[in-house]
Amino acid sequence: MVPFLICFPLFVALLMYVIKVNKIRNIIAYISAGVIMVAVLIMSVLWIMDGCNAILLYYETEIVDKVILSVELLLMVIVVHLCFKYKKYIISLLTIIPTLLIAYVEIWGPKRDMINHIRIDYLSVLMCIIIGIIGGLIIIYAVGYMHGYHHHHTEVEDRRNYFFMLLFIFLGAMFGFVLSSSLLWIDLFWETTSICSFLLIGYTKTDEAIQNSFRALWMNLLGGTALALGIVYQIYKMNNDSLQYLVGMGSWGFGSAVIPIALIAFAALTKSAQMPFSKWLLGAMVAPTPSSALLHSATMVKAGIYILFRLAPAMTNTVTGNMISFIGGFTFFVASLIAIAQSDGKKVLAFSTISNLGLMVACAGVGESETLWAGIFLMIFHAVSKSLLFQDIGATENAMHSRDIEDMHGLLYRLPRLGAFMFIGIAGMFLAPFGMLISKWSALKACVDDNNIVMVILIVFGSATTMFYWTKWMAKLISATNESKIKDITKKNELISLSIHAVLMIVLCVSFPILSKVYVVPLLKEMYGSYVTVLSMSMLYTLVIIICFIFAIPIITFGYTRKLHENKKLAYMSGINEGDNSSFTDAFGEAKKLQMSNWYFKDFIGQRKLMVPSEIFATVLLIVMLSVILGGALL
């Protein structure tokens, strides 16, 4: 199953590129997405039947190692070619230097101990499920969306074969990334995801898209360089490239593990779009919505989170852990603050993604089993919710030709299906007692118990600002409106993906206690050897009961507002109502239009006000802390 999950998407990617007929390619995309989802479930079932024990595979891999090195060199050639084509010469060094360094070590470096190159355990299986299910649904959604996208954006060259090729390569690389135990293998899949994201962001070939794609490229390649340096250091110091061995050495406090752990953790910060590397993820919004959903939810950014979760036991009570947790907590607070000032729905989702990734990073940096419990649930709920919201935003934009939150006033009545899906997605992100909020609460509790005052402050204020911008958006959806209904042009395949996401969101909320007991707690026991309970099962079940009542709010509101519309009662409007509850004549006889709008504080906490100072602060902090860590370890 492991070779199939990695290689099958790559084979399909080739078919996607060579087949030019849209209908045939769409059918293959549907079938392939379904096959990938089924394959992930089969692998999960087989692993469960085997007793849920860690499975170590592929010890002798000389031929595969040579293939992987060859592919890595090929990727370097591709990136260098594109950098020279667009005159980005300096960026090419960020792929040449680490690739040649890895090649030198593999060919002429010290003889390495035999290790397992694949590991199947609780965390890797969980990641495979997220990648396979969410990624497969995004591909199903993308088939219909890209048809409408090119219908409305005739100025963009129709390269759907190229687009779907990249999506499938992305999935194959992510499967390889989370299943690999060898850091040399991880390095290849890391570079593959970086290059795929670069090509997806630049899909439209506009000046903005090209600029944003190269920003994403150099930031991720910078992380790749740090990863390569960490791998080379480990090989020379430990004679192996095993991620699990490195974590074990770090957990036991061996000094030789400090530098590679710090470098790999730094690399994960770039991949997970933490300050000061957040701009690449914001720039990804120029790409079509399916790629945004894939980058923000199921794949790219979760690669960095996955690596940090692996390293978490080795970062507990260390300087590296303090660096990672503070950068994560700082990003969580600043990004959620900036999100308040955004009215573009996609921008809100982007800053929300960066913010929530920051909290996951902080949980990993603290490194306690309680914070990792919170981080894992944050990752699960975030993957489903963000994929749902990005797809919904794309469908809404196609229908109403706008993604501005102010234009979504009364969306629950004007586009009922899309409004309902959006409500569920937003509820999953912040509404008590959904999983995201419970996870934030448990992370806060763990930091309080650990007397980590700085993290407590960042989580408290970050959570407060998060609630502020989600409340504004949700209020717009359920507000009464006199605007006429909008024709819903959402394709059936888009609705299928949206519906499954919405059901998954609700099922996850209801099954929260069971999922914690049967999966997350054993996962933490596997990683730490023990686990301290954060929330009792009785409390979790109580929260689930409350969730059931929460869904009654929009239903009651919808029914009550619909009756008001049917009765057509005129509201008092500080003047003479013109009969439509949307305009009136004031005391001076002037016609006025009723407008209701949120306040976005753009002059106080907008992106232009906070982004640059935050990036400077985070950069200085990273340089100082990395200097302390690396200097102390070398001395």
Side-chain angles (χ1 to χ4, degrees):
M1 294 306 301
V2 171
F4 180 81
L5 284 175
I6 298 172
C7 297
F8 177 72
L10 304 181
F11 171 72
V12 176
L14 180 62
L15 291 180
M16 292 289 104
Y17 187 74
V18 299
I19 296 175
K20 305 296 183 181
V21 181
N22 286 328
K23 288 186 178 180
I24 297 175
R25 190 175 58 248
N26 292 348
I27 293 172
I28 295 175
Y30 287 139
I31 296 173
S32 301
V35 168
I36 290 171
M37 288 189 278
V38 171
V40 165
L41 295 177
I42 290 174
M43 187 194 76
S44 304
V45 170
L46 291 174
W47 172 72
I48 292 170
M49 291 173 62
D50 196 56
C52 297
N53 299 310
I55 301 174
L56 312 180
L57 302 170
Y58 302 105
Y59 285 83
E60 297 182 3
T61 58
E62 291 184 10
I63 297 176
V64 179
D65 288 341
K66 292 178 181 178
V67 172
I68 284 179
L69 179 58
S70 300
V71 174
E72 197 152 2
L73 291 170
L74 176 62
L75 292 177
M76 179 191 73
V77 172
I78 293 172
V79 173
V80 170
H81 166 71
L82 291 172
C83 287
F84 275 73
K85 179 180 178 181
Y86 290 98
K87 299 180 181 179
K88 307 287 186 180
Y89 306 115
I90 297 177
I91 296 178
S92 65
L93 295 176
L94 292 175
T95 188
I96 294 172
I97 293 172
T99 303
L100 294 182
L101 193 61
I102 291 292
Y104 176 84
V105 170
E106 287 210 54
I107 298 172
W108 294 291
K111 185 178 180 181
R112 301 190 301 276
D113 299 332
M114 184 178 293
I115 65 166
N116 62 287
H117 288 72
I118 294 292
R119 179 186 175 94
I120 304 174
D121 58 12
Y122 279 97
L123 187 56
S124 60
V125 169
L126 174 61
M127 290 298 299
C128 283
I129 292 172
I130 291 174
I131 296 163
I133 302 299
I134 305 300
L137 290 173
I138 289 172
I139 287 174
I140 292 172
Y141 168 86
V143 173
Y145 177 87
M146 291 304 291
H147 174 78
Y149 178 84
H150 282 289
H151 177 74
H152 294 294
H153 297 82
T154 54
E155 75 282 0
V156 178
E157 181 186 353
D158 190 342
R159 298 187 295 154
R160 275 178 275 181
N161 60 324
Y162 172 79
F163 184 82
F164 281 97
M165 176 192 72
L166 293 176
L167 293 186
F168 277 102
I169 291 176
F170 223 132
L171 292 185
M174 279 302 299
F175 282 127
F177 186 87
V178 301
L179 289 168
S180 295
S181 179
S182 164
L183 283 167
L184 288 172
W185 286 25
I186 287 174
D187 183 69
L188 168 70
F189 297 121
W190 179 288
E191 295 300 307
T192 304
T193 57
S194 298
I195 294 169
C196 282
S197 66
F198 157 65
L199 296 174
L200 282 170
I201 295 169
Y203 176 76
T204 60
K205 292 186 176 181
T206 62
D207 292 340
E208 183 185 12
I210 292 171
Q211 180 182 352
N212 290 354
S213 65
F214 274 102
R215 182 193 295 127
L217 181 65
W218 79 257
M219 286 186 177
N220 281 283
L221 289 181
L222 179 64
T225 303
L227 175 64
L229 291 172
I231 294 170
V232 170
Y233 186 91
Q234 179 182 340
I235 289 174
Y236 275 96
K237 282 291 185 179
M238 304 179 187
N239 293 319
N240 71 67
D241 59 297
S242 170
L243 176 59
Q244 275 67 41
Y245 184 82
L246 175 64
V247 173
M249 294 289 283
S251 301
W252 285 98
F254 285 88
S256 57
V258 172
I259 290 179
I261 288 174
L263 290 172
I264 295 171
F266 170 81
L269 291 179
T270 66
K271 186 73 81 173
S272 53
Q274 297 300 282
M275 292 286 180
F277 309 108
S278 302
K279 275 189 177 178
W280 79 258
L281 193 59
L282 298 173
M285 293 187 300
V286 299
T289 295
S291 58
S292 296
L294 203 63
L295 293 175
H296 285 251
S297 62
T299 54
M300 186 71 171
V301 294
K302 294 300 188 296
I305 300 300
Y306 166 78
I307 286 292
L308 289 174
F309 283 174
R310 285 289 188 199
L311 294 175
M315 294 193 295
T316 308
N317 297 321
T318 65
V319 180
T320 299
N322 292 336
M323 174 185 74
I324 296 300
S325 63
F326 186 80
I327 289 293
F330 177 72
T331 302
F332 172 57
F333 172 61
V334 172
S336 61
L337 199 62
I338 296 175
I340 294 175
Q342 309 303 315
S343 61
D344 184 317
K346 220 171 176 183
K347 277 194 174 183
V348 174
L349 295 184
F351 277 108
S352 169
T353 295
I354 294 169
S355 175
N356 283 285
L357 291 173
L359 187 53
M360 296 178 216
V361 167
C363 289
V366 174
E368 301 290 347
S369 59
E370 300 96 316
T371 58
L372 206 60
W373 181 91
I376 288 169
F377 272 113
L378 283 168
M379 181 177 68
I380 294 171
F381 279 93
H382 182 267
V384 179
S385 183
K386 273 300 164 60
S387 181
L388 170 61
L389 286 170
F390 265 108
Q391 292 181 44
D392 202 320
I393 282 287
T396 302
E397 185 178 8
N398 279 343
M400 61 189 297
H401 308 294
S402 172
R403 62 188 191 212
D404 194 294
I405 293 173
E406 292 304 310
D407 295 331
M408 296 180 191
H409 192 93
L411 191 69
L412 202 59
Y413 315 104
R414 300 166 65 199
L415 279 169
R417 288 185 300 189
L418 297 181
F421 289 140
M422 199 173 291
F423 181 92
I424 292 172
I426 293 175
M429 287 302 298
F430 91 104
L431 205 58
F434 280 71
M436 288 290 285
L437 193 67
I438 296 174
S439 301
K440 290 175 184 177
W441 186 88
S442 60
L444 177 62
K445 180 180 181 298
C447 290
V448 170
D449 294 341
D450 197 42
N451 293 320
N452 194 334
I453 304 301
V454 174
M455 283 306 303
V456 169
I457 293 172
L458 291 173
I459 292 175
V460 167
F461 284 96
S463 298
T465 50
T466 297
M467 183 168 289
F468 193 91
Y469 64 78
W470 283 130
T471 302
K472 288 198 301 179
W473 193 343
M474 181 175 281
K476 274 290 180 182
L477 299 180
I478 64 177
S479 296
T481 179
N482 292 300
E483 299 288 337
S484 59
K485 280 193 173 184
I486 301 171
K487 183 181 179 181
D488 192 344
I489 59 172
T490 310
K491 302 286 185 182
K492 286 185 179 180
N493 47 9
E494 295 176 74
L495 287 173
I496 290 172
S497 179
L498 288 166
S499 300
I500 294 174
H501 274 86
V503 171
L504 275 175
M505 191 78 248
I506 297 170
V507 169
L508 280 174
C509 291
V510 174
S511 61
F512 194 99
I514 299 173
L515 186 60
S516 174
K517 182 178 180 179
V518 304
Y519 201 94
V520 179
V521 169
L523 185 158
L524 295 171
K525 285 181 178 178
E526 182 181 66
M527 293 182 67
Y528 289 90
S530 61
Y531 175 70
V532 179
T533 302
V534 178
L535 296 174
S536 66
M537 292 301 294
S538 60
M539 182 182 294
L540 289 174
Y541 282 117
T542 302
L543 294 173
V544 169
I545 293 172
I546 298 173
I547 287 175
C548 298
F549 288 99
I550 284 177
F551 282 103
I553 297 173
I555 296 173
I556 295 171
T557 304
F558 179 76
Y560 176 74
T561 309
R562 187 171 61 179
K563 287 182 179 179
L564 288 179
H565 282 297
E566 291 173 354
N567 295 333
K568 295 182 180 179
K569 292 182 178 179
L570 297 180
Y572 174 68
M573 303 181 69
S574 299
I576 301 173
N577 194 315
E578 294 295 331
D580 57 2
N581 281 339
S582 63
S583 56
F584 64 95
T585 302
D586 66 11
F588 294 95
E590 296 179 3
K592 294 292 179 66
K593 185 77 174 177
L594 176 65
Q595 292 181 327
M596 297 180 66
S597 174
N598 286 310
W599 191 18
Y600 290 93
F601 305 94
K602 290 185 178 181
D603 294 332
F604 303 99
I605 54 174
Q607 185 176 348
R608 292 183 179 180
K609 293 285 185 180
L610 294 183
M611 200 67 181
V612 173
S614 300
E615 288 174 337
I616 293 172
F617 175 77
T619 301
V620 172
L621 180 67
L622 273 177
I623 292 173
V624 171
M625 296 200 74
L626 277 175
S627 300
V628 171
I629 295 168
L630 300 180
L634 290 173
L635 294 175

